[in-house]
Amino acid sequence: LVMQHLTLPEAPLNLEAHFYVDQKGVPADLAGLLQGLCDALQYAQVVVDDNWIRGFDGSRIHYDEQNHPHCQLELCPLRPAQKNL
């Protein structure tokens, strides 16, 4: 089995992440969840440097009534209008 990595090009990116958390557990803060996810994406070599993640538009915390915490994410280039931010 050959392990292949998908490393995105060095360019400004937007990360939209939806965190589904357990309402009964420790309260989650969006900034901490996003930082941990950015670090994990860099560690997994999806991004060369998490400094390229310049936007978090659309990211949210949701409560999972079924108590199945998970994260869904979309990582894409910043739209031209976003690059000036």
Side-chain angles (χ1 to χ4, degrees), residues 28-78:
D29 70 283
L30 186 58
L33 291 170
L34 288 169
Q35 184 60 54
L37 180 55
C38 289
D39 291 344
L41 290 169
Q42 181 175 322
Y43 181 79
Q45 300 177 356
V46 174
V47 293
V48 173
D49 186 336
D50 64 3
N51 243 358
W52 286 108
I53 302 173
R54 307 263 171 92
F56 298 99
D57 295 346
S59 294
R60 303 275 186 277
I61 292 177
H62 308 276
Y63 292 109
D64 185 333
E65 299 297 326
Q66 308 303 317
N67 299 320
H68 300 293
H70 64 282
C71 176
Q72 296 175 335
L73 63 99
E74 179 178 329
L75 195 56
C76 61
L78 280 176

Side-chain angles (χ1 to χ4, degrees), residues 13-35:
L13 300 167
N14 183 70
L15 172 61
E16 179 180 342
H18 293 266
F19 298 96
Y20 294 83
V21 300
D22 180 355
Q23 191 169 354
K24 298 173 188 162
V26 177
D29 70 283
L30 186 58
L33 291 170
L34 288 169
Q35 184 60 54

